[in-house]
Amino acid sequence: INDMNQTTHNSVVALAGIWHEGSVAHLHNTSLSYLATERVTRKKYAGLTDPDSLKLLLQSMQIDTNSVDTYVWVGTQNYHNTHIHGHELQDYFESLSQGKTHLLLDHHMAHQASSYYTSNFDEALVLSIDDVGDGLSGRLAIGRGDTLTQIDQMDAQFSLGRLWEAVNILLGFSGANDSGKTMALTAWGKTPRYLPFLNNLVRYDSYFPQFAD
């Protein structure tokens, strides 16, 4: 992120979402556009699983790949773990970025950047908390000017997102893909009634939730 801020990029394409909710963002000069895979395929939570899914988004956004000078892949673990969906998508990404700037961006730094760099703050604590990304469930950074400096992180085993997924499954929903449903249902929740039940399923160790055996 900090290196990108020191370089002029006229056309940047970033892709994310190998597991779910695949998407492409295109920064062209000062114009930013974005498209999620599910908007084109009409398949909820669809990920970027192969070259065809990425080509579909690039074509739908009418991006001239020859004019792009920088390509960004969000999620360093997904890039290196080619056993997830094979290596075809990575090979296509590398063919697009051959001879151009090619960056791998940490999952949580992408979250932090999208919040901090679009805010009006010159200095801020920037916290990203997610299910899991690049082996972590959270990262904390200090934003000063154009720089993000990482100061702390939380391992995936302490993920509040994993707890949320467990509750989804307990209620009969899917783990990650139905998180929005339980998020909406919390507005009608009755804490005094259900909190003791949840406490029997989860124990706390040094302030972090651990799942009961």
Side-chain angles (χ1 to χ4, degrees), residues 1-2 106 108-110 112-113 126 128 136 138-143 147-153:
I1 290 290
N2 299 330
D106 174 83
H108 290 282
M109 288 185 67
Q112 292 171 337
V126 189
S128 168
L136 301 173
R139 295 192 79 165
L140 180 65
I142 295 176
T147 302
L148 276 172
T149 303
Q150 304 299 319
I151 60 173
D152 208 350
Q153 62 189 36

Side-chain angles (χ1 to χ4, degrees), residues 155-173:
D155 193 87
Q157 66 176 314
F158 303 128
S159 173
L160 290 175
R162 291 286 173 85
L163 173 59
W164 197 282
E165 287 185 7
V167 172
N168 291 343
I169 294 170
L170 184 66
L171 295 175
F173 298 120

Side-chain angles (χ1 to χ4, degrees), residues 8-79:
T8 300
H9 302 271
N10 295 319
S11 182
V12 180
V13 165
L15 65 101
I18 307 304
W19 286 102
H20 61 91
E21 298 176 293
S23 60
V24 165
H26 183 213
L27 178 64
H28 182 65
N29 295 323
T30 59
S31 175
L32 177 64
S33 57
Y34 165 89
L35 184 63
T37 307
E38 68 173 38
R39 297 298 182 184
V40 182
T41 64
R42 312 310 295 175
K43 295 179 180 178
K44 198 69 173 173
Y45 308 115
L48 285 173
T49 57
D50 53 42
D52 288 339
S53 58
L54 177 55
K55 291 176 184 177
L56 180 61
L57 292 188
L58 293 173
Q59 292 169 0
S60 299
M61 299 175 73
Q62 299 181 338
I63 296 175
D64 178 8
T65 56
N66 293 322
S67 67
V68 176
D69 54 53
T70 302
Y71 285 90
V72 182
W73 179 296
V74 178
T76 58
Q77 276 194 348
N78 287 336
Y79 187 83

Side-chain angles (χ1 to χ4, degrees), residues 126-138:
V126 189
L127 176 64
S128 168
I129 296 181
D130 205 346
D131 177 9
V132 61
D134 288 327
L136 301 173
S137 65

Side-chain angles (χ1 to χ4, degrees), residues 116 119-126 141-148:
Y116 176 65
S119 73
N120 294 320
F121 297 110
D122 295 324
E123 184 173 0
L125 276 175
V126 189
I142 295 176
R144 288 194 179 97
D146 292 335
T147 302
L148 276 172

